[in-house]
mmCIF file of all heavy atoms in Angstrom:
data_model
loop_
_atom_site.group_PDB
_atom_site.id
_atom_site.type_symbol
_atom_site.label_atom_id
_atom_site.label_comp_id
_atom_site.label_asym_id
_atom_site.label_seq_id
_atom_site.Cartn_x
_atom_site.Cartn_y
_atom_site.Cartn_z
ATOM 1 N N HIS C 66 -56.246 -22.015 -22.304
ATOM 2 C CA HIS C 66 -56.039 -20.564 -22.100
ATOM 3 C C HIS C 66 -54.637 -20.151 -22.565
ATOM 4 O O HIS C 66 -53.983 -19.313 -21.934
ATOM 5 C CB HIS C 66 -56.187 -20.140 -20.632
ATOM 6 C CG HIS C 66 -57.430 -20.622 -19.948
ATOM 7 N ND1 HIS C 66 -58.555 -21.067 -20.597
ATOM 8 C CD2 HIS C 66 -57.714 -20.705 -18.626
ATOM 9 C CE1 HIS C 66 -59.478 -21.416 -19.706
ATOM 10 N NE2 HIS C 66 -58.994 -21.207 -18.510
ATOM 11 N N ALA C 126 -57.995 -20.891 -26.148
ATOM 12 C CA ALA C 126 -56.929 -21.310 -27.057
ATOM 13 C C ALA C 126 -56.319 -22.578 -26.490
ATOM 14 O O ALA C 126 -55.886 -22.594 -25.348
ATOM 15 C CB ALA C 126 -55.877 -20.217 -27.182
ATOM 16 N N ARG C 171 -38.959 -12.092 -20.578
ATOM 17 C CA ARG C 171 -37.892 -12.145 -19.562
ATOM 18 C C ARG C 171 -37.412 -13.571 -19.379
ATOM 19 O O ARG C 171 -36.213 -13.860 -19.354
ATOM 20 C CB ARG C 171 -38.443 -11.671 -18.197
ATOM 21 C CG ARG C 171 -38.150 -10.255 -17.868
ATOM 22 C CD ARG C 171 -38.358 -9.905 -16.395
ATOM 23 N NE ARG C 171 -39.494 -10.390 -15.671
ATOM 24 C CZ ARG C 171 -40.725 -9.889 -15.718
ATOM 25 N NH1 ARG C 171 -40.982 -8.887 -16.524
ATOM 26 N NH2 ARG C 171 -41.696 -10.402 -14.976
ATOM 27 N N ASP C 197 -27.142 -12.377 -56.772
ATOM 28 C CA ASP C 197 -26.755 -13.075 -58.003
ATOM 29 C C ASP C 197 -27.661 -12.583 -59.131
ATOM 30 O O ASP C 197 -28.859 -12.871 -59.143
ATOM 31 C CB ASP C 197 -26.925 -14.591 -57.796
ATOM 32 C CG ASP C 197 -26.536 -15.397 -59.018
ATOM 33 O OD1 ASP C 197 -26.520 -14.833 -60.151
ATOM 34 O OD2 ASP C 197 -26.251 -16.602 -58.864
ATOM 35 N N GLY C 213 -55.902 -3.437 -31.986
ATOM 36 C CA GLY C 213 -56.187 -2.904 -30.662
ATOM 37 C C GLY C 213 -55.875 -3.961 -29.625
ATOM 38 O O GLY C 213 -55.510 -5.087 -29.960
ATOM 39 N N MET C 215 -55.570 -6.920 -27.266
ATOM 40 C CA MET C 215 -55.956 -8.319 -27.471
ATOM 41 C C MET C 215 -55.801 -8.740 -28.931
ATOM 42 O O MET C 215 -55.984 -9.916 -29.260
ATOM 43 C CB MET C 215 -57.398 -8.632 -27.008
ATOM 44 C CG MET C 215 -57.674 -8.299 -25.568
ATOM 45 S SD MET C 215 -56.604 -9.203 -24.420
ATOM 46 C CE MET C 215 -56.113 -7.885 -23.300
ATOM 47 N N THR C 218 -49.927 -6.583 -32.637
ATOM 48 C CA THR C 218 -48.564 -7.063 -32.834
ATOM 49 C C THR C 218 -47.649 -5.895 -32.487
ATOM 50 O O THR C 218 -47.993 -4.744 -32.742
ATOM 51 C CB THR C 218 -48.348 -7.508 -34.295
ATOM 52 O OG1 THR C 218 -49.322 -8.486 -34.629
ATOM 53 C CG2 THR C 218 -46.959 -8.090 -34.494
ATOM 54 N N PHE C 253 -55.973 -18.366 -36.018
ATOM 55 C CA PHE C 253 -55.332 -17.524 -37.027
ATOM 56 C C PHE C 253 -54.042 -16.880 -36.557
ATOM 57 O O PHE C 253 -53.341 -16.266 -37.338
ATOM 58 C CB PHE C 253 -56.277 -16.395 -37.462
ATOM 59 C CG PHE C 253 -57.535 -16.877 -38.123
ATOM 60 C CD1 PHE C 253 -58.775 -16.394 -37.715
ATOM 61 C CD2 PHE C 253 -57.487 -17.793 -39.161
ATOM 62 C CE1 PHE C 253 -59.945 -16.833 -38.326
ATOM 63 C CE2 PHE C 253 -58.656 -18.226 -39.776
ATOM 64 C CZ PHE C 253 -59.881 -17.744 -39.356
ATOM 65 N N ASP C 271 -33.249 -20.319 -47.138
ATOM 66 C CA ASP C 271 -32.649 -21.572 -47.619
ATOM 67 C C ASP C 271 -32.397 -21.542 -49.126
ATOM 68 O O ASP C 271 -31.492 -22.203 -49.617
ATOM 69 C CB ASP C 271 -33.570 -22.757 -47.295
ATOM 70 C CG ASP C 271 -33.555 -23.118 -45.818
ATOM 71 O OD1 ASP C 271 -32.660 -22.621 -45.091
ATOM 72 O OD2 ASP C 271 -34.443 -23.877 -45.382
ATOM 73 N N ARG C 272 -33.208 -20.796 -49.847
ATOM 74 C CA ARG C 272 -33.064 -20.772 -51.311
ATOM 75 C C ARG C 272 -32.258 -19.591 -51.815
ATOM 76 O O ARG C 272 -32.009 -19.481 -53.025
ATOM 77 C CB ARG C 272 -34.441 -20.729 -51.961
ATOM 78 C CG ARG C 272 -35.182 -22.060 -51.844
ATOM 79 C CD ARG C 272 -36.466 -21.964 -52.619
ATOM 80 N NE ARG C 272 -37.287 -23.131 -52.471
ATOM 81 C CZ ARG C 272 -37.557 -23.977 -53.464
ATOM 82 N NH1 ARG C 272 -37.039 -23.774 -54.662
ATOM 83 N NH2 ARG C 272 -38.339 -25.015 -53.259
ATOM 84 N N ALA C 302 -47.439 -0.982 -50.447
ATOM 85 C CA ALA C 302 -46.622 -2.201 -50.462
ATOM 86 C C ALA C 302 -46.114 -2.493 -51.868
ATOM 87 O O ALA C 302 -44.958 -2.883 -52.054
ATOM 88 C CB ALA C 302 -47.441 -3.382 -49.937
ATOM 89 N N GLU C 319 -52.537 -12.432 -41.306
ATOM 90 C CA GLU C 319 -52.839 -12.968 -39.980
ATOM 91 C C GLU C 319 -54.242 -12.537 -39.633
ATOM 92 O O GLU C 319 -54.513 -11.339 -39.553
ATOM 93 C CB GLU C 319 -51.855 -12.427 -38.940
ATOM 94 C CG GLU C 319 -52.138 -12.917 -37.516
ATOM 95 C CD GLU C 319 -51.150 -12.382 -36.492
ATOM 96 O OE1 GLU C 319 -50.497 -11.358 -36.764
ATOM 97 O OE2 GLU C 319 -51.027 -12.994 -35.410
#
Side-chain angles (χ1 to χ4, degrees):
Chain C
H66 310 342
R171 262 196 318 281
D197 180 339
M215 303 300 135
T218 304
F253 297 131
D271 286 347
R272 288 185 185 247
E319 178 180 21

